[in-house]
Amino acid sequence: MKKIGFLMAATALVAAGSAHAESHEGRATDGHLNIIYWQAPSLLNPYLSGGTKELEASSLVIEPLARYDETGTMVPFLVDEIPTVDNGGVSEDLTTITWTLSEGIKWSDGTPLTAADAVFTWQYCTDPESGCAQLSNYNDVESVEAVDDRTIKITFSVPKPFPYGPFVGAQSPIIQAAQFADCLGAAAPTCTDANFAPIGTGPFVVTDFKANDVASFVANENYRDPMKPAFATLNLKGGGDAASAARSVLETGEFDYAWNLQVEPEILNQMAAAGQGTVVSAFGTSVERMHVNQTDPDPELGDERATVAHPHPFLTDPNVSRALSLAIDREILVEAGYGSSGQPTCNVLPAPAIYASTNNDWCLNYDPDEANRLLDEAGWVMGDDGVRTKDGERLSILYQTSTNSVRQGTQALVKQMWEEIGVETELRNIDGSVFFGGDPSSPDTFQKFFADIEMYTNNFDGTDPERYMGNWACAEIPSPETQWQGSNMQRFCSEEYDALVVEFGQTAALEDRAALAIKMNDMLMNSGSIIPLVHRGGVSAHSNTLEGVLMNEWDSELWNIADWTRAE
Amino acid sequence: MSEMAPIKPLVEVRDLTMHFDIHAGILRRKVGAVKAVDGLSFDIMEGETLGLVGESGCGKSTTGRAILRLYDPTAGSVRIGGVDVASLGSADLRRARPQMQMIFQDPQASLNPRMTVGSIIAEPLREHSDMDRAARDVRVRELMDAVGLNRAFASRYPHEFSGGQRQRIGIARALALNPRFIVCDEPIAALDVSIQAQVVNLLEDLQRDLGLTYLFISHDLSMVRHLANRVAVMYLGKIVELAPRDALYSDPRHPYTEALLSAVPVADPVVEATRQQIILQGDVPSPANPPKGCNFCTRCPKVMPVCHEVSPVFVEHMPGRFAACHLIDEEKDASVLRENKNDNVQQGETQ
Amino acid sequence: MFAFTIRRLLFAIPTLLAISFIIFAILDLAPSDPTGNLPLTISPEVRAQIRSSLGLDEPFPIRYLLWLKQFFINEPLNLIEGWTGWTLGDGERMRVTSWATRSPVVDLIIERMPQTLWVVGMSQVIAIVIAVPIGVISAYKQYSWFDQIGTFVSMVGFSIPTFFTGLVFIVLFSVHLQWFPSIYDTNHVIDSWDSFVFQIKQMIMPTMVLALATAAQLSRYMRASMLDNLQQDYVRTARAKGLTERVVVMIHVLRNSMIPVVTVIALNIPTIFGGAIITEQIFRVNGIGQLLIIGIQGADIPLVQTLTFIFAVLIVLFNLIADVLYGILDPRIRYE
């Protein structure tokens, strides 16, 4: 219901935005735009920093060949059309893709954008010494060639059913070869000027950049649409926290747009009531989920702790996991912690719509009676102290997550909900930089998973779930042999699933890919090794005087800033 | 020198009372008062030295400070040279300051540690005279000479001097404005015995040369005997006896004075061996809560029932001799007025 | 005093070297990862590459020595070049480079200096201007209503954290009254009267929040020190000299009372350079304090190491300055 409402609102906004885009007077006629990113960008080169804030800030300046729009559909930016097998842009064997740049696109310094810039971008990121954060976008790329000034041919070493990794989306913009020529490999960090003020094809040009503080921009005189952008100057300020950023748009009106407002819904609603601005949200692929450890984290196991050699004493039973899932009232979690930026979900792959399964929706029904029944059936007997036991084993769970007030709130609620079905829960939270830090010498990382259940959010870039679903292959299980690297945190392992992963990589037709993705998602859900909780969206706020904002979780939120205008 | 002393009183103290309020509780309400000085009346003759003795905490120093208006007295008057300093406004008081000065007990603490000796001595001149800098320097050197300090030391700081030298600085400072009256508040108590005599001699010399009047506050009965013309004995905020020096030492009339004097060691070992010390029992009562009747009644060896009821009056029971004791009243009632042959100090009139 | 100062400076060198090593070791031992805050979509292999491009593969002693060389040799040479225009050596020196911004740490610090000095420095000045008279009057009229109110306000200033006062200020003055901006504009250039007024307006709230906290502390020191001195005998001497109360209090008591307060102020100065982490965050002043906290959050070890080391230098230096000041202000103290 909520989602439909949101979609309608979005559609209305599209209409309003496009209607206005035609009426505004021309480039640089709407004055100054103030944007606040409470986490300020530390540089404007997304290849040297994988952070979202850098990606978004740099999207004002540098652009990929195509972006995803607010519905997750690819839209051409620097090209006239998206290459597909049908239009001949993608070869039949799925190993090459050929892009043709639109005519007359110029860098902000007036020089023409050529295919050579794309080739350089690929070389820049794939240089082994550069430490490029977006390297995965160029996975399996064998070569990028400039067939002529406007034609870019990318050759993959394997068939790529989804060949839109390189140069599509905010993660993979094209940088100017001339500017970065001396910045390849180990020299990348020495090019401070270029990293702070890249030359781009986007609607704005950097005039001043203060790392982690403020960036100033002016409209790009050489932008391809002579009527855009509407704003002459733009400030991107950083610092503070999400609540104060929200306040500066919704209450004081000092800023026009604030990003990533992870604020308690109650507070945000209060601020929005001031009537200065509007809270907007959009949903991508982020899911707050619980990973259910399939291995035994018992410290007495020593070096073999949390490895596949020792299955978990009770969490490998899908019925136990199912009971835990049924006993969680997801609506309450959303209400308490997420508000308009969350919706209950039962899938680890909740979007785009064609990939979303409907087979697991039983979990949306909060049903502690059924949960109790499942546990009774599985032989767990309620003890005198309200905790179930079976064969001397107590149904006691160590539940860890990163330190974050919303997560601790969720933990507390879940603990209470589980108490009602006779599950004893011990809560633990770990500083995010440690938990997600992946330091193999730390016992507290999410890869080591020395707990029974851990909770965090994950997602995938773009719209294609192939790599994301590959996270749960057996080979991805973190273990001492892999220096505790790997993405299969819960140590789920199934030959059948591995086979589907391989099949996914060889299937080209969208419908078939969707069917596969749903099947894989359902397998994971049925195994009980993942308990999805909340489908999380991005929340931002914009001033009521700002028009044209199309909240987008598939690309940069600022993806269409060229179309933003000031209301009369 | 005593014969030289004129008979005109320079300082007339009447009913001088100094109570310090006690505050307590959250709102710091007044809950009582420490009766540090409780209705003193006495005169100091021009050119004489009046010794003021008593145990620690009896109110001697408070008396000295209240006389000089370093405290605002609770009641009473202090006329110095005919002017009641106890009721002067602050501007008039400042103008009156030059004639009355004080020498403090602790020469270290009483000197501003961040000022040079020269500027400490010169400061009153700057405040109260229109001397220019050069004239002030000349005067500072004179004063330093007068108190026996090397004039080259004017630019040094107090901490660079010994205790005796510091007290000389304090004296020079007090003399700067040619005062007539100086309160010496235990000026030698903090000094080495070897230095004490030097300072006392200096005070005597200055008195002779400059015609100064001293109120010499001390707990050292021998030093007072050496220096004072008359001696007043204080107990718990009141003067219990005031008499010419020799009369007091030879014939103390108040039991407290007797006890005090009995505690003074004598240099002659024969006498010392037979000295009968009167040991007072108990502690001094708190001045915040003095006993009913005579202040001394709790410890007096000769206490009588009346002492617990009625506070004795401070009266001149013999010409020039004052005391506050019911014993004396009894003697008076018996109409036996003894002539004290030893009293050869001329006394001034008191009202 | 000169010999004392030189000797103390010489002693400071091994101290600071030890401090730099300890800081480096602590930062290195801390379980944090510069790639820890990246989105989970970035794979472990890419993270490993990023770490190795940052030089994290090198063993600990090598990284420490490299930092020492960069900080103590390369950066000073660079500064000298910048000031004099000379070219020393080949000019291709590796500077201490932040991992998050990939830019020289010293440049970042210089960029942050103006706002920190403006806001935090001014708050210290205002704090002194407020605290000294309050302390003096409170002590002079001990237990008067002025003193009681002063004590109450000081306790409030002491006990209420700046993030709370900051928030109250914003809600009151930015949201309701709309007098002052809640966000500090670090790009603001003062070139006219109006822009100067704007600078004052944007400085008022962060400055006052900090000044309130500092003034609370200073006024208590001032009051205690004044009370201490008012009871000294030399004050009675000064009164006995017939000086006016103004002279007694201002010249005799105040000057002596300032000795400990000046020391406290001198020891506070490093915190001016250290910025105010919380207040800078609240008002988006984005000075040194915010730089430090971002560095810590992002595990930007070169940045944190350099900043904390500079703080250590300032603290050692101002401790020495406080000692020397003490010697100058108080003639009783002599350093041999």
Side-chain angles (χ1 to χ4, degrees):
Chain A
M1 201 59 212
K2 222 184 227 169
K3 195 161 187 181
I4 293 167
F6 163 73
L7 281 176
M8 283 169 67
T11 322
L13 264 177
V14 178
S18 50
H20 194 82
E22 272 143 41
S23 71
H24 94 97
E25 290 161 34
R27 177 179 293 163
T29 51
D30 276 357
H32 183 72
L33 180 64
N34 265 324
I35 297 180
I36 186 155
Y37 269 52
W38 58 272
Q39 289 178 332
S42 50
L43 35 62
L44 290 181
N45 178 353
Y47 291 112
L48 290 187
S49 164
T52 314
K53 55 200 167 84
E54 284 83 18
L55 284 184
E56 302 238 337
S58 64
S59 74
L60 293 166
V61 178
I62 45 180
E63 297 176 305
L65 299 174
R67 287 196 189 278
Y68 297 99
D69 71 4
E70 74 280 8
T71 63
T73 313
M74 258 182 278
V75 285
F77 260 59
L78 301 176
V79 292
D80 292 328
E81 69 172 348
I82 308 281
T84 59
V85 178
D86 291 344
N87 65 20
V90 178
S91 66
E92 289 289 338
D93 63 357
L94 306 176
T95 56
T96 66
I97 178 168
T98 307
W99 296 83
T100 306
L101 293 170
S102 303
E103 213 162 329
I105 291 183
K106 285 179 181 166
W107 293 103
S108 60
D109 62 1
T111 58
L113 169 73
T114 69
D117 291 310
V119 176
F120 175 81
T121 302
W122 168 67
Q123 288 166 344
Y124 178 85
C125 186
T126 50
D127 190 297
E129 282 186 76
S130 73
C132 176
Q134 309 300 349
L135 192 59
S136 55
N137 287 290
Y138 301 95
N139 268 356
D140 303 327
V141 174
E142 203 171 70
S143 70
V144 178
E145 296 159 73
V147 178
D148 59 42
D149 269 1
R150 287 177 49 212
T151 311
I152 304 157
K153 184 181 173 197
I154 303 168
T155 309
F156 297 97
S157 55
V158 293
K160 275 272 163 186
F162 187 84
Y164 307 110
F167 313 127
V168 178
Q171 285 81 10
S172 185
I174 294 181
I175 56 175
Q176 194 190 36
Q179 189 187 20
F180 283 90
D182 294 333
C183 308
L184 279 174
T190 62
C191 294
T192 305
D193 291 342
N195 293 333
F196 279 4
I199 292 168
T201 53
F204 289 96
V205 178
V206 187
T207 52
D208 182 39
F209 183 83
K210 291 184 171 146
N212 292 326
D213 177 14
V214 60
S216 312
F217 304 85
V218 292
N220 178 4
E221 287 176 13
N222 293 305
Y223 189 59
R224 54 187 173 275
D225 184 337
M227 296 295 281
K228 293 173 181 174
F231 289 98
T233 54
L234 187 156
N235 248 0
L236 187 86
K237 173 81 178 175
D241 56 27
S244 60
R247 187 176 299 112
S248 68
V249 170
L250 298 173
E251 288 193 317
T252 68
E254 291 165 272
F255 280 75
D256 297 306
Y257 187 88
W259 159 87
N260 191 16
L261 304 180
Q262 295 169 350
V263 183
E264 280 174 50
E266 207 184 320
I267 296 174
L268 204 56
N269 290 340
Q270 267 175 23
M271 289 183 185
Q276 295 257 27
T278 312
V279 177
V280 287
S281 53
F283 290 86
T285 58
S286 295
V287 174
E288 180 85 3
R289 81 286 296 278
M290 288 174 175
H291 287 258
V292 179
N293 204 339
Q294 303 295 298
T295 61
D296 193 348
D298 188 347
E300 284 176 19
L301 295 173
D303 286 346
E304 298 194 345
R305 186 180 185 191
T307 62
V308 284
H310 300 276
H312 197 279
F314 54 83
L315 288 176
T316 47
D317 179 354
N319 280 334
V320 172
S321 172
R322 193 181 178 100
L324 292 175
S325 181
L326 280 169
I328 297 170
D329 188 343
R330 289 170 173 77
E331 288 289 350
I332 285 183
L333 300 188
V334 168
E335 216 171 286
Y338 298 90
S340 63
S341 69
Q343 352 177 294
T345 186
C346 294
N347 296 305
V348 73
L349 174 61
I354 52 161
Y355 298 111
S357 166
T358 50
N359 304 327
N360 311 299
D361 290 352
W362 51 265
C363 94
L364 293 176
N365 270 334
Y366 166 60
D367 193 348
D369 297 337
E370 171 68 4
N372 271 316
R373 198 191 59 77
L374 280 171
L375 289 175
D376 289 340
E377 208 173 73
W380 291 92
V381 184
M382 189 68 94
D384 298 335
D385 57 352
V387 179
R388 289 174 183 270
T389 52
K390 178 181 175 182
D391 309 331
E393 180 91 44
R394 279 165 73 84
L395 193 44
S396 174
I397 285 171
L398 175 61
Y399 171 17
Q400 71 180 18
T401 186
S402 71
T403 308
N404 164 322
S405 66
V406 173
R407 291 210 166 111
Q408 269 71 75
T410 302
Q411 274 187 317
L413 287 171
V414 167
K415 182 184 167 120
Q416 227 174 346
M417 292 166 184
W418 282 351
E419 235 163 55
E420 286 170 30
I421 58 164
V423 176
E424 179 183 62
T425 316
E426 188 189 332
L427 303 182
R428 187 157 177 259
N429 65 78
I430 302 154
D431 186 80
S433 64
V434 177
F435 188 61
F436 298 118
D439 180 353
S441 63
S442 164
D444 297 321
T445 64
F446 69 148
Q447 288 104 338
K448 281 203 178 161
F449 199 176
F450 289 166
D452 299 305
I453 283 183
E454 65 184 5
M455 176 174 78
Y456 62 93
T457 287
N458 203 352
N459 69 324
F460 57 94
D461 292 332
T463 54
D464 183 63
E466 181 182 331
R467 230 159 26 93
Y468 179 66
M469 296 313 282
N471 279 343
W472 295 286
C474 297
E476 287 291 333
I477 293 176
S479 67
E481 291 75 40
T482 66
Q483 278 75 50
W484 296 102
Q485 299 301 314
S487 53
N488 189 348
M489 305 308 168
Q490 78 270 31
R491 291 98 161 107
F492 166 81
C493 188
S494 145
E495 278 177 29
E496 194 189 343
Y497 190 89
D498 279 10
L500 290 176
V501 171
V502 174
E503 192 184 338
F504 207 158
Q506 294 160 351
T507 308
L510 191 62
E511 297 74 31
D512 299 342
R513 291 173 71 80
L516 267 175
I518 288 173
K519 192 171 172 192
M520 292 165 88
N521 176 68
D522 293 350
M523 268 187 83
L524 286 169
M525 296 307 98
N526 292 333
S527 77
S529 68
I530 293 181
I531 302 176
L533 298 173
V534 180
H535 184 192
R536 291 179 58 185
V539 185
S540 295
H542 66 83
S543 152
N544 287 339
T545 67
L546 187 63
E547 290 187 340
V549 175
L550 281 181
M551 193 48 188
N552 187 342
E553 276 290 284
W554 307 104
D555 203 297
S556 162
E557 283 183 21
L558 307 175
W559 70 289
N560 71 333
I561 193 149
D563 300 332
W564 291 11
T565 57
R566 178 75 69 196
E568 298 306 314
Chain B
M1 60 178 167
S2 46
E3 299 93 312
M4 303 282 291
I7 55 166
K8 198 163 114 306
L10 177 68
V11 180
E12 297 159 88
V13 178
R14 291 294 169 272
D15 289 325
L16 183 67
T17 305
M18 186 68 233
H19 290 180
F20 295 101
D21 293 343
I22 303 169
H23 298 271
I26 296 161
L27 297 173
R28 302 196 57 79
R29 277 181 207 286
K30 185 185 162 186
V31 294
V34 175
K35 295 170 182 162
V37 174
D38 203 8
L40 299 193
S41 295
F42 60 93
D43 293 341
I44 305 172
M45 304 304 146
E46 189 139 15
E48 80 161 339
T49 298
L50 176 68
L52 185 59
V53 297
E55 290 168 279
S56 302
C58 71
K60 310 185 292 285
S61 289
T62 308
T63 307
R65 290 170 191 173
I67 289 175
L68 292 190
R69 248 325 259 296
L70 293 175
Y71 293 141
D72 284 332
T74 312
S77 69
V78 178
R79 302 179 75 84
I80 300 180
V83 180
D84 183 6
V85 294
S87 60
L88 282 181
S90 64
D92 291 332
L93 179 64
R94 278 207 308 117
R95 276 192 287 279
R97 288 260 178 236
Q99 60 163 325
M100 49 187 199
Q101 282 298 321
M102 189 155 190
I103 297 166
F104 294 94
Q105 172 174 5
D106 184 346
Q108 162 92 52
S110 66
L111 301 174
N112 189 332
R114 288 185 56 205
M115 290 172 78
T116 60
V117 168
S119 53
I120 288 172
I121 301 174
E123 197 180 30
L125 300 173
R126 225 177 21 236
E127 193 71 19
H128 293 287
S129 73
D130 42 14
M131 287 185 198
D132 60 13
R133 200 191 159 82
R136 282 205 303 270
D137 286 351
V138 171
R139 176 75 178 134
V140 167
R141 298 221 180 92
E142 271 174 31
L143 286 163
M144 291 182 74
D145 289 344
V147 299
L149 280 172
N150 185 337
R151 38 165 82 189
F153 293 167
S155 59
R156 295 200 179 175
Y157 288 94
H159 69 273
E160 295 170 277
F161 293 87
S162 70
Q165 284 172 314
R166 279 185 213 139
Q167 196 55 290
R168 288 172 193 270
I169 298 167
I171 295 169
R173 193 222 90 235
L175 293 175
L177 292 166
N178 295 318
R180 299 167 71 191
F181 172 54
I182 296 181
V183 174
C184 307
D185 186 3
E186 308 235 22
I188 52 171
L191 303 180
D192 281 359
V193 180
S194 58
I195 310 292
Q196 285 182 350
Q198 293 177 14
V199 173
V200 165
N201 290 337
L202 173 66
L203 287 172
E204 281 186 318
D205 294 347
L206 291 168
Q207 184 173 45
R208 189 184 57 233
D209 298 345
L210 305 173
L212 298 171
T213 304
Y214 289 149
L215 174 64
F216 191 90
I217 299 170
S218 179
H219 61 267
D220 183 341
L221 289 165
S222 335
M223 198 54 82
V224 169
R225 184 173 200 169
H226 171 76
L227 204 66
N229 304 97
R230 290 192 301 148
V231 178
V233 180
M234 262 187 100
Y235 182 80
L236 210 60
K238 292 191 169 176
I239 292 183
V240 294
E241 186 165 6
L242 189 158
R245 170 191 58 195
D246 294 341
L248 186 104
Y249 279 81
S250 59
D251 181 23
R253 302 308 297 274
H254 195 282
Y256 180 62
T257 316
E258 274 183 88
L260 269 189
L261 290 175
S262 78
V264 179
V266 183
D268 182 345
V270 182
V271 183
E272 174 66 15
T274 59
R275 184 165 64 94
Q276 293 270 308
Q277 190 170 353
I278 303 167
I279 310 279
L280 294 177
Q281 300 297 317
D283 291 325
V284 184
S286 160
N289 187 21
K292 191 164 181 260
C294 176
N295 272 354
F296 191 51
C297 68
T298 55
R299 301 170 78 200
C300 185
K302 299 175 179 170
V303 67
M304 304 177 294
V306 63
C307 298
H308 289 290
E309 300 298 327
V310 184
S311 184
V313 189
F314 187 61
V315 292
E316 185 170 22
H317 56 88
M318 256 182 272
R321 293 202 62 169
F322 302 80
C325 184
H326 291 299
L327 284 169
I328 294 168
D329 296 346
E330 280 182 4
E331 287 175 30
K332 266 191 168 171
D333 292 344
S335 312
V336 184
L337 259 172
R338 286 185 297 174
E339 187 81 60
N340 193 326
K341 300 231 170 30
N342 295 329
D343 185 4
N344 55 4
V345 179
Q346 281 205 285
Q347 290 297 316
E349 292 293 319
T350 54
Q351 292 105 316
Chain C
M1 184 100 82
F2 182 71
F4 164 82
T5 311
I6 296 297
R7 199 173 60 233
R8 280 280 300 265
L9 281 174
L10 287 177
F11 271 126
I13 292 171
T15 313
L16 286 171
L17 274 176
I19 291 174
S20 80
F21 181 79
I22 292 168
I23 297 173
F24 202 91
I26 289 174
L27 287 175
D28 192 69
L29 289 171
S32 64
D33 176 2
T35 64
N37 287 334
L38 296 183
L40 294 178
T41 49
I42 290 175
S43 68
E45 296 80 38
V46 173
R47 283 166 200 265
Q49 272 207 20
I50 293 173
R51 276 194 288 269
S52 100
S53 77
L54 296 174
L56 264 170
D57 287 351
E58 301 287 341
F60 172 78
I62 302 280
R63 278 184 289 132
Y64 176 62
L65 290 175
L66 188 67
W67 179 83
L68 280 185
K69 179 177 171 242
Q70 289 173 347
F71 187 82
F72 286 106
I73 299 172
N74 294 0
E75 289 293 346
L77 284 176
N78 219 62
L79 273 183
I80 293 168
E81 280 189 5
W83 285 334
T84 60
W86 300 336
T87 308
L88 304 165
D90 60 357
E92 281 291 307
R93 280 179 294 273
M94 190 60 198
R95 303 182 61 186
V96 184
T97 304
S98 150
W99 287 347
T101 70
R102 309 293 180 105
S103 66
V105 169
V106 174
D107 292 357
L108 289 175
I109 295 172
I110 291 170
E111 190 176 274
R112 297 304 181 103
M113 249 341 159
Q115 48 263 42
T116 289
L117 290 185
W118 265 106
V119 171
V120 189
M122 190 55 75
S123 77
Q124 292 281 329
V125 173
I126 291 177
I128 294 168
V129 170
I130 299 175
V132 170
I134 289 182
V136 169
I137 299 172
S138 290
Y140 190 68
K141 308 221 156 159
Q142 198 187 3
Y143 301 132
S144 65
W145 62 265
F146 184 95
D147 183 32
Q148 309 279 15
I149 292 174
T151 304
F152 178 75
V153 172
S154 302
M155 288 305 146
V156 167
F158 250 137
S159 45
I160 297 187
T162 51
F163 61 77
F164 184 79
T165 32
L167 201 61
V168 170
F169 274 36
I170 287 181
V171 169
L172 201 63
F173 296 113
S174 288
V175 177
H176 288 293
L177 298 172
Q178 307 234 329
W179 285 355
F180 309 121
S182 71
I183 293 174
Y184 189 94
D185 180 3
T186 41
N187 279 339
H188 183 67
V189 181
I190 301 172
D191 51 11
S192 65
W193 173 251
D194 285 346
S195 60
F196 177 73
V197 170
F198 179 80
Q199 174 67 14
I200 299 290
K201 274 173 116 179
Q202 70 168 350
M203 273 173 59
I204 283 181
M205 288 203 296
T207 308
M208 289 313 291
V209 164
L210 285 173
L212 191 67
T214 316
Q217 176 202 12
L218 272 183
S219 70
R220 296 316 282 176
Y221 274 111
M222 191 71 231
R223 179 179 179 272
S225 177
M226 280 288 290
L227 281 177
D228 221 31
N229 277 286
L230 274 169
Q231 280 148 16
Q232 296 289 322
D233 284 357
Y234 73 82
V235 179
R236 201 174 293 122
T237 313
R239 291 218 174 96
K241 282 177 181 174
L243 306 178
T244 57
E245 273 308 287
R246 207 178 54 80
V247 174
V248 171
V249 175
M250 291 304 173
I251 307 290
H252 287 259
V253 185
L254 183 59
R255 275 169 61 182
N256 279 293
S257 309
M258 283 306 283
I259 295 173
V261 177
V262 164
T263 320
V264 172
I265 293 171
L267 292 177
N268 259 343
I269 290 177
T271 65
I272 297 180
F273 290 89
I277 290 173
I278 293 165
T279 313
E280 285 187 3
Q281 283 278 61
I282 295 171
F283 295 100
R284 264 59 63 93
V285 177
N286 294 350
I288 302 286
Q290 192 250 8
L291 187 65
L292 177 66
I293 197 71
I294 285 195
I296 292 171
Q297 284 166 348
D300 193 345
I301 292 180
L303 176 65
V304 177
Q305 162 80 11
T306 307
L307 267 179
T308 41
F309 182 69
I310 290 175
F311 297 160
V313 172
L314 288 171
I315 288 167
V316 169
L317 190 69
F318 278 92
N319 261 298
L320 175 61
I321 289 176
D323 281 351
V324 171
L325 262 182
Y326 218 104
I328 292 171
L329 290 173
D330 191 338
R332 285 170 294 185
I333 291 170
R334 281 284 172 271
Y335 301 111
E336 297 310 328

